[in-house]
Amino acid sequence: MEQQVQTNSRLNFNKIFEYCLLTLVFLIPLIFAPSILVSIYSSKLAFLVTVIVIFLAVFLAFTLSKGIIQIPKSKFLIPIALFPVIALVSSFFSGNVINSVAGQVFELGTSGSLFIMSILLFIAIFAVKEDAKIGIKAIFAFFISSGVVILHLILRIFAASILPVSVTSKIPNFLLGGSIDTAIFLGAATIASLSALNMLPLGKKVRIAIYTLVVTSMLFIGAIGFTPVFVAVGLFALFYFVYTFSWSINLSSTNTLKGEKASFPSLFVLVFSVVLILSNGVIPAYLSNTLKINSIEIRPNFAVTMSLVSESWKKNAALGAGPNMFKELWDLHKPANINLSQFWATSFNSGSGFVPTIAATTGVLGLLALLSFMVLYLTSGFKSIFSSKGDFGWRYVSLTSFLISLFLWAMIFVYFPSIVITSLAFVFTGIFAATLVPQGVVSGIKINIFSNPKANFVAVFGIVVLLIASIAGGYFVWARVVTASIYQKGVNLLSSGDSQNAKKTISQAIRLAPSDLYWKSFSEASLGQAGVLLSSVSSPSSMTDSQRTAIQNEISDAIQSARQAIAWNPKDYENWFALGRVYEVLASNGIQGSSDNAISAFKEAQSRAPLNPAIPLAFGRLDALSGNLVGARENINKAIKLKNNYTDAYFTLAQLEASSNNIPAAIKSMNSLVLMDPQNASLYFQLGLLNYNNKDYSSAASALEKAIEIVPDYANAKYFLGLSYDILGRRADATMQFEEIQKTNPDNAEISLILSNLKASKSPFTNAKPPITNTPEKRAEPPIQEDN
């Protein structure tokens, strides 16, 4: 009777393990939160952690009841288990432990996220270790999930114009997070499909469904146009094609379908992949246009990433810069030519691929752990592929899970994937590991945790501690997910100009899980609110004591919160730059000592981002405030030397010439410069702005038209061209310019105001309220924030 109870208990435990695995495989690609406040990453991470906490609680209870833990004696499990430990040690030497371990919300690459991934591997091992049918179910859950992803892509193409915007705005374009991640996922689905078609006795309807999955997957893979996926899928198809000739399944001994001598699905995938590669982008471009897929993603290339690896190893070869610290490496050592692109202000959090990024952030030890894992994994995989032991079910699960995981690991080397791809790589690695013991490739290890009274005490105590730690860890992750959504709400309020409510919302996020990003945004909100309060005061003499106190409190909040951001992450130049901007605003309002404090903060920022042109420009603005026009010109020209198409610098230089009553001479000089460099749109923009300041609106329009001819989406040039047209009486042309700006800046309140006024035959700045003024040429920054 007692034995029967234990058996039923064991079956119940195993059933929960099975449900956890199947739920993971099926839902992780699909799950998302229908809210703009919760990112796809956050929703998937919250789901993963919930399943992990449930699994760990049941597993610990199971271990407590049985007293025995069984794991495969696979050598590759050692380095992959050590990898997150190395990452955690690296975090403690990163100089910013919290950011390195948890980040904002355990971003992929933090040591915390790497621990989560490793737990997924062991979930799969314990879920599959006793029953091949569970592995087969997991693979078919993957098939069904792939079908839903494809269905979503099809609906996205054909139903987007039918469904209301309120619905489509809440559904992401790609369920996996990005187009390339989708291509990788569909590549893995194609490989799984080839395995099923080659090895399983499928019914007619199921075979048709899988054939359809293969064809549609390859079409979308082609449309997305990520060449490594073409190559890898083609190689795996070639493997299957050769494999069917070199290995057949004996019907009489296994009671399963005999292998075919030619795999036509594999041949189709191979030929299609070769055609995509040889078409030199023509076919992918056609498919992309037909299926309405935009697959442009920007990331550092392999050479640049390896140069950052080298810089990281110079400081700490063993442990690198620390997990989640790639951004700081990029800011410090980015190549100078990136300033000429529209991504000059982008701080990349990862390199060309996950593994190269890990090499930079966890050093030689982290890289060796991954490389040794891959070598040992490949060895085990090839032993398993050609093993004749074990029944057909185990062999099918083993081959399929190995090839899926191998494909995903290959993609992880060449790309920094989403949480879906990474988690599935770990899950299918665990499924494969579970198949090795039944096939006789490796032996199993049984650990008896209740071998003696002392061991009993330690085991029970350890299990209780692990249970508490898992629940606490799950709560910690969920808290960060909720905090991130609250913060996003605050950012939305701040971008809409509601700085007061933005402060309240962001402060809630800070109370839950403070970080440098949240403190920096709180500083921006405080500075914005101080500006709102100052704009309500007609003159300094009319300021009441309560107004003065409120403004002083906002300024104090802006300074203190910027300093808090620095305290949380002193390595991020943006935190120092934010503090410098606060002091710069105070200096522009005549607060004594602010200029020196701003210079000090900007110097700290420059030491962490020496090639960022925004920093010498900031020095130039401070020089102009103090009356040092020579120094201002020198610093502005330094910014232009770093980025010769820097609109903000040309804008500030034009203001400088206007303020020094040097406009005619500056215009003459600019006319000479544009003759020497006739394709420099920024020079034409500055010439147009100088003429606009000189009230020569006809000449201003001519120069700005030339700037737009060179750079058609030059928003600031269109802005001042529109104002020039309006003054010249060309209202329709002015309206057209602002309509074009609104297409690329749909949320810009100033553009909406100007457009509504122009359409109502009013002056562009009628009913304008601060910070919008009717003299945009005199503002500290250009009206439109552009990337160029």
Side-chain angles (χ1 to χ4, degrees), residues 609-640:
L611 296 181
N612 192 313
I615 300 173
L617 177 59
F619 284 128
R621 289 195 300 264
L622 289 172
D623 284 331
L625 285 173
S626 65
N628 181 9
L629 301 185
V630 174
R633 288 190 178 91
E634 287 179 357
N635 278 307
I636 295 170
N637 285 321
K638 285 180 183 178
I640 292 173

Side-chain angles (χ1 to χ4, degrees), residues 714-765:
Y714 203 151
N716 278 294
K718 289 181 179 180
Y719 180 97
F720 284 101
L721 178 58
L723 294 183
S724 299
Y725 282 158
D726 181 62
I727 295 171
L728 293 170
R730 298 168 60 180
R731 179 63 57 90
D733 292 333
T735 302
M736 185 181 70
Q737 293 301 320
F738 283 101
E739 285 176 340
E740 290 180 2
I741 297 172
Q742 193 174 50
K743 291 177 184 177
T744 54
N745 298 268
D747 300 323
N748 191 301
E750 180 175 352
I751 301 304
S752 298
L753 172 70
I754 293 173
L755 258 178
S756 63
N757 284 328
L758 289 174
K759 290 178 180 179
S761 298
K762 298 179 182 178
S763 173
F765 297 100

Side-chain angles (χ1 to χ4, degrees), residues 659-700:
S659 64
S660 59
N661 296 317
N662 193 36
I663 294 180
I667 290 174
K668 184 178 180 181
S669 175
M670 286 305 304
N671 277 316
S672 300
L673 287 174
V674 296
L675 288 174
M676 291 186 290
D677 191 2
Q679 294 304 309
N680 191 327
S682 296
L683 292 179
Y684 281 106
F685 171 72
Q686 187 182 2
L687 177 60
L689 200 58
L690 286 168
N691 281 304
Y692 187 92
N693 276 281
N694 201 37
K695 302 188 186 307
D696 185 355
Y697 301 110
S698 179
S699 298

Side-chain angles (χ1 to χ4, degrees), residues 46 86 153 731 766:
I86 293 169
L153 289 172
R731 179 63 57 90
T766 302

Side-chain angles (χ1 to χ4, degrees), residues 598-622:
I599 290 171
S600 177
F602 286 141
K603 283 182 178 178
E604 292 286 352
Q606 192 169 46
S607 68
R608 291 158 177 80
L611 296 181
N612 192 313
I615 300 173
L617 177 59
F619 284 128
R621 289 195 300 264
L622 289 172

Side-chain angles (χ1 to χ4, degrees), residues 24-30 44 139 141-150 153 175-193 213 217 221 224 226 229 233 404 407-408 411 415 417-418 420-425 428:
L24 273 175
V25 174
F26 176 67
L27 283 182
I28 188 61
L30 308 178
K44 293 182 186 299
I139 293 169
F142 180 62
F143 278 133
I144 298 170
S145 184
S146 304
V148 176
V149 168
I150 290 173
L153 289 172
L175 292 175
L176 282 84
S179 58
I180 294 178
D181 293 294
T182 302
I184 294 171
F185 178 78
L186 294 180
T190 301
I191 291 167
S193 299
L213 180 65
S217 292
I221 288 171
I224 292 168
F226 187 55
V229 175
V233 170
I404 291 173
F407 171 79
L408 295 176
M411 293 300 101
Y415 181 67
S418 69
V420 176
I421 302 302
T422 311
S423 59
L424 287 176
F428 278 104

